[in-house]
Amino acid sequence: MCIIENFVLTILETSDVHGTVLPINYSDNSYANCGLAALSTIITLEREINQNTLLIDNGDMLQGTALTYFHAKINNNMPNPMIEAMNLMGYDAAVIGNHEFNYGREYLNNAIKTSNFPWLCANITKKTTGESFTNKPYIVKTFDNGLKVGILGVTTKYIPNWENPETIQDLNFEDVVESANKWIEIMKKQEATDINIVAYHGGFERDLETGKPMEKLTGENQGYELCMKVKNMDVLLTGHQHRVIKNLSVNGVLVVQPGYNGNCIGKVSIDLVKNSRKWSIVNKKSSIIDANATDVDKRILDSISNIETKAQAWLDIPMGNIEGDMLIKDPLKARLKDNAYTEFINNVQMEAAKVDISNTAIFDNQCKGFERNVTMRDIIANYKYPNTLKVISLKGSDIKAALEKTAQYFSIVNGEIEVSKVGIYPKLHHYNYDMWEGIEYIIDVSKSINYRITKINYKNCPLNMEGDYAVVMNNYRAGGGGDYSMFKGKPVLKDIPIDMAELIANYILERKTIKAVENDNWKVIY
């Protein structure tokens, strides 16, 4: 007689938490409905409902807040707050995200070493041996009833376009589709897995329903391609794009993506039945559970209280004063004409690099600029990424191409200017709109794409399209990040391996008082 056995598997996914443990905004310590401390309570409740629950982080965990910056750059003798929290929460596995490399390999290696769970990465391999960078391409979880669940980790292969070359010089970044097919076959044949989960730190380059491209097909987000081309994949956990995706299937593969900063958690429920020694999926669905920061896990608070106290004290260290107005009251208006904040950041970059052309961005709409009294908290809140600087050699034609690229950020709707789809979909891309110093230019949004730059002068003369110019920018942009392909592979004239936050702090400390100035070297018209 054939015995039928039923089983329910729950998979919980965090992704793109970006250093968020507590439900606060470090810019002013205001309340925020997010963070691991809030998600931990949800996870505990889900485990009470179904003990057959797996918890997986999908990457970009170690970087992103003032707390993680403080630990990485100021006081890394203390335990890593993210790993302390994750260990307490009982993660089964984590996947390497692109931002995991931001604080350097030693920092990442220490995080992996002190984790009570494996870090998975099948497609980032060591050049010397061909082995997985983390030595763990996958794991297999075997339940008491014999069910075997394979969990494979893969990471966007686009990292070399963003990361400092010296940080990743010993690594290969292989195609995620090829890696997934290779390792799932191994999992099926050698491990006899019944269910295969792929946790991919990457998103979707195509519309999930129509398959039409949503962005340039660079290989950064191969989620749709994974669903269409990888065999024996049952669930695809995604991230990187900071989207909320639930209860959708592509080519029979269930997909989910749980936002960012720990504002929600992804949940996958799989109903299985065992008949004739074989497990079959009867039903599978995915959902999103929003964080409830009013009910936080005190264990998580206690685990980071010591370093949190020290970080808060460091954030309140005074740096200097601003004379005049360096506030960003309206992010859109700040991107339509020269403003004191971006001029200041460009001045810091040009001073550090000893060149006279620079570009920078207002990274997001939470960037508020500087009040009269500037603390370290203000610097970290405004310049949130641990970028360093590079000076690269560009032709005048490269600069024009970059300006045309940045001009795509705008569109005109009913006679009013607004952020185009390029800037907000499939995720917010405010950090890809650059503002330049050292040249004079005009963006005319009424013109067609690629013909919007109507003026570019350098030292009161038209920019020489064949001339060579030294330009300073952050390392992300210098490597072509944000699809600025005109920068990729250009000669590096100078590498400044000091975090911008430190450069900004030193610049203010040395001068004590900074005058807010605008030389009106650029503007947007329409």
Side-chain angles (χ1 to χ4, degrees):
M1 181 177 179
C2 180
I3 299 176
I4 297 176
E5 183 177 352
N6 296 306
F7 188 81
V8 178
L9 174 67
T10 299
I11 305 158
L12 300 177
E13 178 204 5
T14 56
S15 190
D16 299 271
V17 172
H18 287 290
T20 307
V21 182
L22 304 180
I24 61 173
N25 294 305
Y26 280 98
S27 60
D28 57 7
N29 282 339
S30 60
Y31 170 87
N33 204 34
C34 61
L36 288 182
L39 296 184
S40 182
T41 300
I42 295 170
I43 292 163
T44 298
L45 292 173
E46 288 294 326
R47 284 171 170 156
E48 290 176 358
I49 295 170
N50 183 14
Q51 64 180 356
N52 302 313
T53 295
L54 299 175
L55 177 59
I56 302 168
D57 182 72
N58 202 50
D60 281 4
M61 173 65 76
L62 300 179
Q63 173 276 338
T65 60
L67 176 65
T68 56
Y69 184 92
F70 176 77
H71 179 263
K73 298 295 183 179
I74 308 301
N75 192 344
N76 61 16
N77 292 322
M78 303 179 73
N80 188 315
M82 303 310 296
I83 303 304
E84 290 289 286
M86 293 176 76
N87 284 342
L88 281 172
M89 293 167 71
Y91 275 83
D92 291 284
V95 175
I96 297 291
N98 53 291
H99 283 288
E100 256 67 73
F101 292 97
N102 286 176
Y103 293 138
R105 289 285 289 283
E106 183 178 358
Y107 189 81
L108 174 54
N109 289 340
N110 284 336
I112 294 172
K113 183 179 179 180
T114 54
S115 298
N116 294 339
F117 50 87
W119 288 76
L120 310 180
C121 194
N123 69 306
I124 303 179
T125 59
K126 303 171 187 176
K127 288 182 178 178
T128 53
T129 64
E131 296 176 343
S132 164
F133 158 59
T134 62
N135 295 320
K136 282 279 187 179
Y138 69 87
I139 60 170
V140 176
K141 287 287 184 178
T142 304
F143 291 87
D144 292 341
N145 59 7
L147 177 73
K148 289 188 173 183
V149 180
I151 306 168
L152 175 70
V154 287
T155 304
T156 176
K157 67 179 181 182
Y158 212 61
I159 290 175
N161 292 279
W162 307 314
E163 194 54 62
N164 281 322
E166 55 270 22
T167 303
I168 56 173
Q169 61 185 347
D170 61 327
L171 302 176
N172 288 318
F173 292 81
E174 299 170 359
D175 185 77
V176 296
V177 175
E178 294 175 4
S179 293
N181 267 319
K182 168 187 171 182
W183 286 103
I184 287 181
E185 184 177 4
I186 290 173
M187 288 158 58
K188 289 287 289 184
K189 290 184 176 180
Q190 297 184 12
E191 308 283 0
T193 53
D194 300 293
I195 295 176
N196 293 304
I197 302 164
V198 174
Y200 169 47
H201 187 80
F204 296 94
E205 71 282 45
R206 296 177 182 271
D207 183 276
L208 294 180
E209 295 181 355
T210 66
K212 292 181 179 180
M214 298 187 305
E215 58 185 47
K216 190 174 180 180
L217 302 180
T218 61
E220 178 182 350
N221 296 297
Q222 294 180 270
Y224 191 89
E225 190 179 358
L226 278 165
C227 292
M228 300 303 293
K229 296 182 178 180
V230 175
K231 299 177 181 179
N232 297 312
M233 178 172 64
D234 299 299
V235 176
L236 179 63
L237 309 179
T238 65
H240 186 58
Q241 291 176 317
H242 297 187
R243 299 168 65 185
V244 173
I245 299 173
K246 60 181 180 178
N247 216 27
L248 285 173
S249 291
V250 178
N251 195 31
V253 179
L254 185 68
V255 300
V256 65
Q257 190 169 143
Y260 64 103
N261 287 358
N263 55 17
C264 54
I265 191 167
K267 177 182 178 180
V268 172
S269 298
I270 304 177
D271 297 323
L272 300 110
V273 63
K274 187 178 184 181
N275 197 342
S276 300
R277 301 181 181 180
K278 181 180 180 182
W279 287 99
S280 299
I281 295 175
V282 177
N283 185 46
K284 54 184 176 179
K285 61 183 179 180
S286 64
S287 58
I288 294 293
I289 307 172
D290 292 331
N292 180 6
T294 61
D295 189 13
V296 298
D297 187 340
K298 190 175 183 298
R299 297 177 309 148
I300 306 302
L301 303 185
D302 292 343
S303 73
I304 68 163
S305 61
N306 191 12
I307 190 169
E308 171 70 12
T309 300
K310 293 180 182 297
Q312 289 287 354
W314 172 74
L315 286 169
D316 288 329
I317 295 174
M319 297 287 115
N321 302 304
I322 303 297
E323 182 180 306
D325 186 359
M326 203 179 283
L327 289 172
I328 298 174
K329 302 178 181 70
D330 185 324
L332 179 61
K333 290 181 179 178
R335 296 182 178 101
L336 292 176
K337 65 179 292 294
D338 192 22
N339 66 84
Y341 171 76
T342 54
E343 184 153 325
F344 166 73
I345 298 298
N346 276 319
N347 284 337
V348 172
Q349 294 186 172
M350 292 187 293
E351 169 67 21
K354 307 303 180 189
V355 299
D356 60 3
I357 303 178
S358 172
N359 66 44
T360 191
I362 298 172
F363 292 137
D364 56 38
N365 287 349
Q366 283 68 54
C367 178
K368 302 300 182 184
F370 294 137
E371 300 273 3
R372 182 177 182 277
N373 299 312
V374 181
T375 65
M376 199 68 208
R377 184 185 304 277
D378 300 313
I379 294 172
I380 297 295
N382 283 281
Y383 205 101
K384 61 189 292 186
Y385 296 114
N387 291 331
T388 58
L389 298 177
K390 290 185 184 293
V391 179
I392 61 176
S393 179
L394 298 176
K395 295 290 185 184
S397 57
D398 296 321
I399 294 175
K400 183 179 186 302
L403 289 171
E404 291 288 4
K405 163 68 180 173
T406 215
Q408 296 177 22
Y409 178 81
F410 295 112
S411 61
I412 300 175
V413 178
N414 298 324
E416 297 295 325
I417 195 164
E418 62 180 38
V419 180
S420 68
K421 188 176 180 181
V422 169
I424 60 176
Y425 189 79
K427 72 172 182 177
L428 298 177
H429 287 289
H430 298 308
Y431 52 82
N432 282 336
Y433 176 76
D434 288 338
M435 289 152 279
W436 292 63
E437 193 63 37
I439 57 175
E440 300 85 44
Y441 62 96
I442 295 174
I443 298 175
D444 187 346
V445 184
S446 69
K447 305 289 187 184
S448 301
I449 294 289
N450 294 327
Y451 296 95
R452 290 180 166 180
I453 307 304
T454 58
K455 170 188 173 181
I456 319 178
N457 284 358
Y458 174 67
K459 294 184 177 179
N460 298 317
C461 295
L463 192 74
N464 181 357
M465 293 296 110
E466 298 302 319
D468 294 312
Y469 300 90
V471 182
V472 61
M473 61 189 74
N474 67 57
N475 62 287
Y476 170 81
R477 186 69 81 237
D483 200 24
Y484 280 79
S485 57
M486 69 292 298
F487 297 154
K488 190 175 181 180
K490 290 298 190 290
V492 177
L493 304 179
K494 189 181 298 184
D495 193 346
I496 303 167
I498 303 173
D499 280 5
M500 267 299 292
E502 183 177 346
L503 290 173
I504 294 168
N506 290 340
Y507 189 95
I508 298 174
L509 282 169
E510 289 172 5
R511 291 159 178 80
K512 302 301 181 185
T513 298
I514 305 296
K515 290 185 177 181
V517 295
E518 302 168 10
N519 62 10
D520 295 321
N521 65 302
W522 64 273
K523 63 181 178 180
V524 177
I525 61 175
Y526 57 98

